């Protein structure tokens, strides 16, 4: 009789048997302990053996319970099993499980109001990286995990004769030592030393498992292709056409340039020149593999992590002034009362006359003059403005939705420390470029959709019935009726009609939250918010991989190399690229938001106990968020109100019962900064009340 059968026989005849009792009954020698433990573990995993809270063994006939572990900000977690049951996992019973791990669990006695279990083992570890600070002290290596990871990590010994220098490292978690209660890990990347002025941001990027530095083969590839001499052969030559770039003050990579030509009364040619990145980044080359891995350039306060090495992104691909550059140039006819019409799309060469900024051009538009501009440039820009006004009126006529939003402008010193935070308004010059890029993206996607070729579209779905019903419920108190079926025009009119309403910020927020997220797709379903049947991202191939991908398709079509085999290849690839880019975009949006929060916390940590006026920006059951005029946001925790805080989830409002004051998004408040948590990127406010209840 084997050990398993003997265990079953003993447990079927005896009660209250512990592991130690079982060892005695089976006469397990010290040489058999390892095998004995292995058999017990195996039986538990099979579901034929249970151990209760008191440590007694019982026979079980249960089906093994597998599920995915979910972490919380506290020590406990949850596991959702295949049968749809959610199990509560106490901190002491996690057994090294982390977010996303597939685990085998064992059900325990039911706790108050919940089903409790413990993790027996992690069956499929999700790849997990942790940023660690390594310090060498007294011949010992001290490893401190960063952020909210609060477990010990034991690193693999570095190669013989080497040691890790002091600094931050990206560490891959390998396994969990239950006995020592620590994770095993290996260093995969050096992030930087404490004197690196971008260390905080690089650390954050590593926490999101995104690449920073380029591999050597990618740098070599970039250096090689950038040495190619720029020649006009077989390209449309636009070097004698007056051309400018208009970008932000700090921009270094110039994807797009514009030219305008007045052809008659309210009739124009608009040329939009886009960097021909596909000329340099060939499909499957090291540059392409790395660009596809990154998908986008990342813009953080004071730091840009480009999709392409600087020799390309800021060099030969960037449409720098007074330098010949290869472009994909779209010529459009713009007429008052008519939609933009594509005249041609060509491989071209340009030489930009000026590098202009949004602020400089906006100054000209707003005041009628800019002392830094000559007459020729002023005349050109005023013509461009006429084109913009036509495009803007067309946009409004079809129902483009324009939401109120506030972005932050970070003022940094030479060491990338935050000096000030200001709201960044969108001025007219930025809107001008935006409308011209929308027109370009529109005509290009329409042309290639009509040709029925593989493509990647930028899509935005209509709001779901569920989201519309939620919007109706929340807008009802404002006397707003939302029709059963809505168009972009309906939403645009709703926002325009209520733009002077005292609760407009709240209304704007309700409508915005009712919208779907835009993403990429190989299937065209249109763009709801722009009220367009055709839309793509074509105009930023230096910083967006989907743009680069469709440039390749267009280039092959232009050169008559789009064979049936290539069409099939691009068709298969388009779905993959679109899905990956959509997922990566969400990840980068979260990263950029968290980086903004990090710098805002850095700014506010020296302003604890200062008093500010702000407006309520969000309401939850755990408190109210308040946004200051400089875009900094903090939380007034409901604990501040003792038992005087009532949250209405239906109306998304709160009432403080001691003074019967109602709060909604947009309500003015006065707050004091009481705490700044740099690790969690959180700011806590305290509500200050005066005689009027403020």
């Amino acid at each position: 009789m084997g050990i398993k059968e003997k265990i079953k026989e003993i447990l079927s005849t005896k009660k209250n048997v512990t592991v130690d009792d079982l060892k005695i009954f089976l006469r397990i020698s010290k040489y058999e302990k390892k095998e004995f433990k292995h058999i017990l573990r195996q039986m538990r995993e099979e579901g034929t053996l249970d151990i209760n809270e008191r440590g007694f063994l019982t026979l079980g006939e249960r089906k093994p319970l597998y599920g995915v572990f979910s972490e919380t900000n506290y020590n406990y977690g949850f596991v959702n099993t295949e049968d749809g049951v959610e199990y509560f996992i106490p901190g002491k019973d996690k057994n090294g499980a982390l977010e996303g791990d597939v685990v085998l669990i064992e059900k325990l006695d039911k706790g108050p109001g919940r089903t409790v279990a413990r993790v027996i083992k992690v069956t499929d570890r999700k790849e997990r990286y942790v940023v660690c600070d390594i310090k060498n002290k007294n011949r010992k290596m001290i490893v401190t995990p960063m952020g909210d990871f609060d477990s010990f990590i034991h690193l693999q010994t570095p190669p013989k004769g080497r040691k890790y220098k002091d600094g931050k490292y990206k560490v891959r978690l390998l396994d969990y030592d239950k006995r020592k209660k620590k994770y095993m890990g290996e260093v995969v990347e050096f992030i930087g030393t404490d004197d690196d002025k971008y260390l905080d941001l690089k650390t954050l990027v590593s926490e999101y498992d995104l690449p920073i530095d380029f591999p050597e083969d990618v740098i070599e590839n970039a250096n090689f292709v950038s040495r190619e001499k720029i020649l006009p052969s077989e390209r449309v030559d636009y070097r004698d056409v007056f051309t400018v770039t208009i970008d932000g003050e700090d921009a270094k990579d110039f994807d797009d340039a514009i030219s305008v030509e007045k052809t008659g009364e309210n009739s124009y040619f608009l040329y939009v020149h886009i960097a021909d990145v596909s000329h340099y980044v060939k499909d499957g080359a090291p540059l392409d593999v790395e660009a596809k891995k990154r998908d986008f350039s990342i813009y953080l306060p004071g730091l840009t992590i480009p999709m392409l090495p600087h020799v390309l992104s800021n060099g030969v691909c960037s449409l720098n002034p007074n330098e010949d550059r290869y472009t994909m140039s779209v010529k459009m006819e713009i007429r008052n009362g008519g939609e933009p019409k594509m005249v041609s799309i060509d491989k071209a060469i340009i030489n930009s006359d000026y590098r202009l900024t949004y602020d400089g051009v906006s100054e000209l538009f707003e005041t009628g003059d800019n002392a830094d501009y000559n007459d020729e440039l002023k005349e050109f820009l005023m013509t461009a403005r006429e084109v913009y006004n036509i495009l803007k009126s067309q946009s409004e006529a079809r129902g483009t939705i324009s939401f109120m939003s506030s972005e932050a402008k970070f003022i940094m010193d030479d060491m990338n420390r935050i000096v000030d935070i200001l709201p960044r308004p969108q001025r007219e010059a930025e809107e001008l470029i935006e409308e011209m890029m929308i027109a370009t993206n529109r005509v290009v996607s329409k042309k290639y959709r009509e040709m029925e070729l593989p493509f990647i579209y930028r899509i935005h779905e209509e709001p779901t019935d569920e989201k519309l019903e939620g919007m109706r419920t929340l807008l009802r108190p404002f006397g707003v009726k939302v029709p059963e079926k809505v168009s972009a025009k309906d939403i645009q009119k709703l926002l325009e009609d209520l733009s002077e309403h005292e609760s407009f910020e709240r209304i704007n927020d309700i409508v915005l939250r009712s919208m779907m997220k835009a993403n990429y797709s190989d299937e065209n379903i249109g763009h709801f918010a722009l009220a367009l049947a055709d839309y793509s991202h074509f105009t930023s191939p230096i910083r967006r991989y989907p743009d680069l991908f469709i440039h390749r398709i267009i280039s092959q079509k232009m050169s008559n190399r789009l064979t049936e085999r290539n069409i099939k290849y691009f068709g298969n690839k388009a779905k993959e690229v679109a899905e990956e880019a959509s997922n990566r975009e969400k990840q980068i949006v979260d990263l950029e938001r968290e980086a903004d929060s990090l710098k805002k916390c850095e700014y506010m940590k020296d302003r604890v106990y200062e008093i500010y006026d702000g407006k309520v920006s969000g309401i939850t059951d755990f408190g109210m968020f308040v946004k200051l005029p400089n875009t900094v946001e903090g939380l007034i925790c409901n604990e501040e109100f003792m038992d005087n805080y009532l949250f209405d989830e239906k109306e998304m409002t709160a009432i403080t019962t001691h003074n019967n004051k109602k709060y909604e998004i947009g309500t003015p408040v006065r707050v004091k900064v009481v705490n700044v948590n740099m690790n969690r990127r959180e700011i806590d406010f305290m509500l200050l009340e005066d005689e009027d209840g403020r």
Side-chain angles (χ1 to χ4, degrees):
M1 186 183 292
I3 292 180
K4 273 190 185 182
E5 286 68 32
K6 288 181 181 179
I7 291 172
K8 289 179 182 179
E9 184 179 50
I10 291 168
L11 295 180
S12 63
T13 58
K14 298 182 182 294
K15 292 183 177 181
N16 299 337
V17 177
T18 66
V19 173
D20 288 337
D21 294 335
L22 203 55
K23 286 181 189 175
I24 295 170
F25 293 144
L26 294 171
R27 296 180 179 178
I28 300 295
S29 70
K30 64 179 182 179
Y31 304 108
E32 297 171 312
K33 279 184 179 179
K34 192 172 182 180
E35 183 187 359
F36 174 68
K37 283 184 178 179
H38 175 73
I39 290 171
L40 288 183
R41 190 184 306 115
Q42 193 177 59
M43 290 179 71
R44 289 179 68 191
E45 291 174 8
E46 292 169 351
T48 56
L49 182 70
D50 285 331
I51 304 177
N52 66 23
E53 279 289 317
R54 297 171 63 190
F56 295 136
L57 302 173
T58 58
L59 289 176
E61 295 297 331
R62 60 179 173 78
K63 177 185 173 184
L65 290 170
Y66 291 94
V68 178
F69 183 79
S70 298
E71 287 181 293
T72 67
N73 288 332
Y74 306 96
N75 194 29
Y76 57 82
F78 295 92
V79 170
N80 289 293
T81 55
E82 295 171 349
D83 55 4
V85 178
E86 183 181 73
Y87 290 86
F88 174 77
I89 311 294
K92 63 184 179 62
D93 293 316
K94 292 192 300 183
N95 199 11
L98 297 168
E99 179 70 30
D101 289 346
V102 178
V103 295
L104 173 68
I105 62 172
E106 179 178 58
K107 184 178 176 181
L108 302 175
D109 294 334
K110 188 171 181 179
R114 59 180 65 180
T115 306
V116 183
R118 64 176 163 219
V119 174
I120 296 175
K121 75 175 210 177
V122 175
T123 60
D124 186 9
R125 173 80 71 188
K126 184 179 179 182
E127 193 162 66
R128 175 77 179 261
Y129 296 90
V130 177
V131 174
C132 293
D133 180 67
I134 294 180
K135 292 283 188 290
N136 294 279
K137 196 171 184 181
N138 299 328
R139 296 187 178 181
K140 287 185 178 180
M141 185 171 66
I142 301 170
V143 181
T144 307
M146 306 301 293
D148 55 4
F149 191 86
D150 57 359
S151 299
F152 292 107
I153 297 177
H154 178 76
L155 292 182
Q156 288 183 337
T157 306
K160 192 174 181 181
R162 293 181 57 193
K163 71 173 185 177
Y164 299 120
K165 62 182 179 180
D166 289 2
K168 300 287 193 301
Y169 291 79
K170 183 176 178 180
V171 173
R172 180 189 291 118
L173 298 185
L174 302 174
D175 208 347
Y176 182 73
D177 187 323
K178 185 178 179 181
R179 185 175 61 85
K180 295 181 179 179
K181 296 190 182 303
K182 63 172 61 176
Y183 292 88
M184 308 303 291
E186 65 172 349
V187 169
V188 295
E189 183 183 355
F190 173 66
I191 300 171
T193 56
D194 290 341
D195 59 354
D196 184 340
K197 66 180 180 179
Y198 300 118
L199 183 61
D200 56 345
L201 296 175
K202 288 180 179 179
T203 298
L204 194 57
V205 173
S206 286
E207 288 175 3
Y208 274 77
D209 192 24
L210 293 168
I212 300 173
D213 298 323
F214 289 95
E216 286 185 18
D217 63 332
V218 175
I219 295 296
E220 289 175 6
N221 188 188
N223 289 336
F224 176 77
V225 299
S226 67
R227 288 193 290 267
E228 177 188 343
K229 192 172 182 180
I230 296 176
L231 299 170
S233 56
E234 298 181 10
R235 286 183 176 259
V236 175
D237 196 337
Y238 286 130
R239 287 178 294 179
D240 291 334
V241 176
F242 194 91
T243 303
V244 302
T245 62
I246 308 175
D247 292 273
E249 189 77 41
D250 300 325
K252 299 288 190 299
D253 51 348
F254 307 129
D255 286 282
D256 56 88
I258 61 166
S259 307
V260 290
E261 178 186 340
K262 191 162 187 172
T263 56
E265 188 67 27
N266 294 320
S267 177
Y268 307 83
F269 283 142
L270 167 64
Y271 303 79
V272 174
H273 313 283
I274 305 300
D276 189 3
V277 179
S278 64
H279 177 83
Y280 297 99
V281 182
K282 302 301 183 185
D283 192 8
L287 271 170
D288 179 57
V289 173
E290 185 68 15
K292 184 173 181 289
K293 179 181 174 183
R294 293 174 181 243
D295 272 317
F296 300 93
S297 293
I298 302 172
Y299 298 93
L300 309 177
L303 175 67
T304 297
I305 300 171
M307 184 179 81
L308 300 170
H310 285 113
V311 70
L312 294 183
S313 61
N314 296 2
V316 293
C317 290
S318 182
L319 307 183
N320 300 328
N322 305 312
E323 294 182 11
D324 288 355
R325 289 290 184 261
Y326 289 149
T327 62
M328 196 88 78
S329 294
V330 179
K331 182 179 180 181
M332 290 168 278
E333 184 179 33
I334 309 295
R335 289 180 179 274
N336 197 17
E339 299 294 338
K341 179 182 177 183
M342 180 186 283
V343 177
S344 63
I345 178 169
D346 298 293
K347 290 272 193 176
I349 185 170
I350 71 164
N351 191 298
S352 175
D353 293 274
Y354 292 96
R355 181 271 199 257
L356 306 178
T357 66
Y358 294 134
D359 287 343
V361 177
S362 294
E363 181 185 334
L364 172 67
F365 292 163
E366 292 164 8
T367 67
D369 195 18
N370 185 316
D372 295 329
Y373 295 169
N374 61 35
D375 289 343
E376 181 186 27
L377 180 55
K378 290 176 188 176
E379 183 181 354
F380 171 88
L381 290 170
M382 297 312 286
T383 303
R385 192 187 196 192
E386 293 170 12
V387 173
Y388 158 67
N389 286 330
I390 292 174
L391 294 174
K392 182 70 173 175
S393 63
Q394 291 170 353
S395 175
E396 290 172 349
R398 69 173 182 265
T400 295
I401 305 170
S402 181
F403 289 103
M404 179 181 71
S405 63
S406 59
E407 293 184 20
K409 179 180 181 179
F410 294 91
I411 311 299
M412 319 297 290
D413 67 12
D414 292 341
M415 291 304 296
N416 210 49
R417 291 181 296 244
I418 186 80
V419 174
D420 201 0
I421 304 173
L422 304 171
R424 190 184 76 82
Q426 188 179 50
R427 299 174 72 182
E428 189 176 351
E430 194 168 352
E431 293 176 0
L432 177 147
I433 291 298
E434 187 177 285
E435 284 294 341
M436 290 181 175
M437 296 308 114
I438 288 172
T440 309
N441 289 329
R442 178 186 181 185
V443 298
V444 169
S445 59
K446 181 176 185 290
K447 177 181 176 70
Y448 284 85
R449 190 260 303 161
E450 289 174 345
M451 295 170 74
E452 297 184 346
L453 291 174
F455 220 60
I456 291 179
Y457 299 92
R458 181 65 170 177
I459 63 169
H460 185 232
E461 298 175 78
E462 296 179 2
T464 61
D465 291 341
E466 183 181 2
K467 281 183 173 287
L468 285 175
E469 187 55 41
M471 182 166 69
R472 286 189 195 98
T473 301
L474 293 171
L475 290 179
R476 200 167 289 131
F478 301 104
V480 178
K481 291 185 178 180
V482 180
E484 284 298 312
K485 186 76 174 173
V486 300
S487 65
K489 188 74 174 173
D490 295 327
I491 301 293
Q492 179 206 58
K493 187 174 187 308
L494 184 156
L495 292 172
E496 284 180 356
D497 290 348
L498 296 169
S499 61
E500 300 301 321
H501 195 286
E502 61 180 0
S503 298
F504 180 69
E505 288 182 49
R506 165 112 171 95
I507 293 166
N508 179 84
D509 184 73
I510 290 169
V511 177
L512 179 59
R513 290 174 186 272
S514 303
M515 296 294 106
M516 306 295 283
K517 298 287 186 186
N519 53 49
Y520 295 97
S521 175
D522 61 323
E523 296 181 11
N524 182 29
I525 63 168
H527 197 292
F528 179 77
L530 292 176
L532 290 173
D534 302 289
Y535 196 64
S536 62
H537 274 174
F538 164 83
T539 54
S540 296
I542 291 177
R543 60 185 179 90
R544 291 190 304 230
Y545 191 81
D547 304 48
L548 172 57
F549 182 82
I550 64 175
H551 273 233
R552 284 207 183 100
I553 296 171
I554 295 168
S555 292
Q556 291 223 355
K557 178 63 179 173
M558 285 178 175
S559 58
N560 295 317
R561 289 185 290 124
L562 205 54
T563 61
E564 284 188 22
R565 181 180 176 182
N566 285 345
I567 290 173
K568 185 177 180 181
Y569 167 78
F570 281 118
N572 293 334
K573 198 86 170 174
K575 186 178 184 65
E576 173 194 331
V577 170
E579 286 180 359
E580 288 179 1
S582 295
N583 292 332
R584 182 72 73 201
E585 182 180 36
K586 294 183 183 75
Q587 186 183 20
I588 290 174
V589 166
D590 288 343
L591 166 63
E592 291 176 341
R593 186 182 295 120
E594 196 159 352
D596 284 1
S597 296
L598 176 68
K599 288 300 179 183
K600 287 176 180 179
C601 284
E602 180 186 320
Y603 179 74
M604 296 301 289
K605 72 180 180 180
D606 298 325
R607 290 163 175 80
V608 174
Y609 304 127
E610 290 189 10
I611 295 171
Y612 294 89
D613 288 322
K615 290 183 179 180
V616 174
S617 56
I619 300 177
T620 70
D621 58 346
F622 55 82
M624 296 187 295
F625 289 95
V626 173
K627 183 174 283 188
L628 308 183
N630 63 3
T631 76
V632 169
E633 194 171 47
L635 174 70
I636 305 171
C637 184
N638 61 6
E639 294 174 1
E640 289 280 334
F641 304 101
M642 306 297 284
D643 294 326
N644 298 318
Y645 181 86
L646 294 179
F647 170 61
D648 188 326
E649 187 175 8
K650 270 191 174 181
E651 292 195 11
M652 293 299 288
T653 59
I655 293 176
T656 48
T657 56
H658 69 288
N659 60 0
N660 201 35
K661 180 163 176 70
K662 183 178 180 180
Y663 295 89
E664 62 182 19
I665 291 172
T667 300
V669 291
R670 178 165 291 171
V671 296
K672 178 190 283 188
V673 184
V674 292
N675 186 52
V676 176
N677 188 320
M678 291 296 295
N679 281 337
R680 297 172 73 91
R681 268 79 83 172
E682 292 175 352
I683 300 168
D684 293 325
F685 291 152
M686 181 175 74
L687 182 66
L688 300 180
E689 295 180 341
D690 58 26
E691 293 175 355
D692 297 321
R694 267 189 73 189

